[in-house]
Amino acid sequence: MPYPETLKSKPKCIFFTDFDGTITLKDSHGPFPLPRSLCKTDNLGFGKELRKQGNLDTLNGKITFRDSFQEMIDSVKTPFPECIDLLCKNIKLDPYFNDFYKWSREAKVPVIVLSSGMTPIIRALLLQLVGPEAEDIEIVCNEVVDRPGKTKEQEGGWNIQYHDDSDFGHDKSLTIRPYAKHFAEHPDEPRPTLFYAGDGVSDLSAARETDMLFAKKGKDLVTYCEREGLPFTVFEDWQSILAATKAI
């Protein structure tokens, strides 16, 4: 449930997380929920090398994430329903995420997915990989729209509708900051610990916003945090995230 309803149960912590490359396995797809996945595994987009260069250019400030992501979107011509089907057949979940999610439900810890992907894809994958209980996971991300004169069911017929007007397309800090602001304005209320887990350049907007940041080993978010002097905890899988979250 969205803010402020999330706070009604007075959770001890709230866990925000990226999706692709964070909840999903690193070796199944890249860190983006559709174009990078398809470019890398099915050769439907402009390919791995351009994908990696776009990542590097974004990290170094040569191009905005929004523009880099749009180039990848434009390179995928496959009808949208086929894209979802391909991803559902190929994406694998981190083997420990279900353990984490089971614990989060028992401990009444809200899990909120903040993604630069698109709602229909992420919802379909969560339902397939986690099960019907994944309906309780709040998803904040971009949407999918028809291109002018076409429909999503046609080749080259779909496009992304960004969450906001930022250079990220989806500025993840916009979802996290209301929680911090709420407790700054209500200091007498018990404040939950805020967590974020991510791996790539789509997570830069969230890197400074929570009490504890988990960054995936060897990925661009680690590079960014080291360069900017931001505190973070390296993770390889959700087993270590679960242990660290439980301890707090």
Side-chain angles (χ1 to χ4, degrees), residues 19 55 64-65 67 73 85-86 95 126-128 130 134 136 141 147 154 160 180 183 188 195 211 218 224 228 234 239:
F19 182 70
N55 227 20
T64 66
F65 178 85
D67 289 343
I73 291 286
D85 184 58
L86 283 166
L126 282 173
L127 288 174
Q128 174 170 297
V130 176
D136 293 335
C141 62
R147 289 186 184 268
Q154 294 176 296
I160 190 169
F183 291 104
D188 295 333
F195 296 91
D211 301 302
Y224 176 78
E228 299 295 316
V234 173
Q239 184 177 40

Side-chain angles (χ1 to χ4, degrees), residues 15-235:
F15 207 106
F16 302 93
T17 178
D18 177 44
F19 182 70
D20 202 3
T22 300
I23 291 176
T24 59
L25 285 178
K26 64 178 181 179
D27 61 353
S28 58
H29 296 86
F32 294 88
L34 178 68
R36 295 204 171 189
S37 301
L38 296 178
C39 291
K40 184 173 180 181
T41 62
D42 299 295
N43 200 31
L44 299 181
F46 59 25
K48 181 179 178 180
E49 293 308 313
L50 286 176
R51 171 176 64 83
K52 291 177 67 176
Q53 186 60 50
N55 227 20
L56 185 62
D57 289 344
T58 301
L59 192 62
N60 291 327
K62 295 181 179 180
I63 189 173
T64 66
F65 178 85
R66 185 190 190 107
D67 289 343
S68 175
F69 198 50
Q70 188 66 56
E71 288 177 2
M72 285 186 286
I73 291 286
D74 293 341
S75 75
V76 179
K77 306 301 181 184
T78 305
F80 193 71
E82 291 183 34
C83 291
I84 293 181
D85 184 58
L86 283 166
L87 292 173
C88 285
K89 288 177 179 177
N90 288 284
I91 285 223
K92 292 186 173 84
L93 197 69
D94 181 291
Y96 299 103
F97 180 76
N98 275 329
D99 292 339
F100 172 87
Y101 186 55
K102 179 181 178 181
W103 169 81
S104 74
R105 288 170 62 85
E106 293 170 351
K108 301 188 185 308
V109 173
V111 175
I112 302 172
V113 170
L114 304 182
S115 174
S116 292
M118 290 149 276
T119 300
I121 292 172
I122 295 172
R123 181 62 70 192
L125 288 168
L126 282 173
L127 288 174
Q128 174 170 297
L129 297 171
V130 176
E133 59 270 25
E135 288 282 7
D136 293 335
I137 297 176
E138 180 184 351
I139 299 173
V140 183
C141 62
N142 303 307
E143 298 298 334
V144 179
V145 294
D146 295 335
R147 289 186 184 268
K150 293 189 175 184
T151 68
K152 292 184 285 291
E153 290 72 26
Q154 294 176 296
E155 184 172 337
W158 62 273
N159 199 2
I160 190 169
Q161 179 176 288
Y162 287 106
H163 178 268
D164 53 63
D165 293 329
S166 69
D167 285 345
F168 290 95
H170 177 198
D171 182 343
K172 298 179 180 184
S173 71
L174 298 178
T175 299
I176 303 172
R177 286 179 181 174
Y179 291 89
K181 181 180 179 182
H182 175 91
F183 291 104
E185 294 173 348
H186 301 84
D188 295 333
E189 292 186 22
R191 185 187 184 282
T193 303
L194 304 182
F195 296 91
Y196 187 82
D199 74 313
V201 291
S202 72
D203 302 305
L204 305 188
S205 61
R208 304 172 188 268
E209 303 299 327
T210 56
D211 301 302
M212 188 169 184
L213 171 67
F214 295 98
K216 197 161 191 177
K217 183 178 180 180
K219 298 300 181 180
D220 289 328
L221 183 58
V222 170
T223 302
Y224 176 78
C225 290
E226 289 177 340
R227 187 179 71 194
E228 299 295 316
L230 301 179
F232 66 97
T233 298
V234 173
F235 78 96

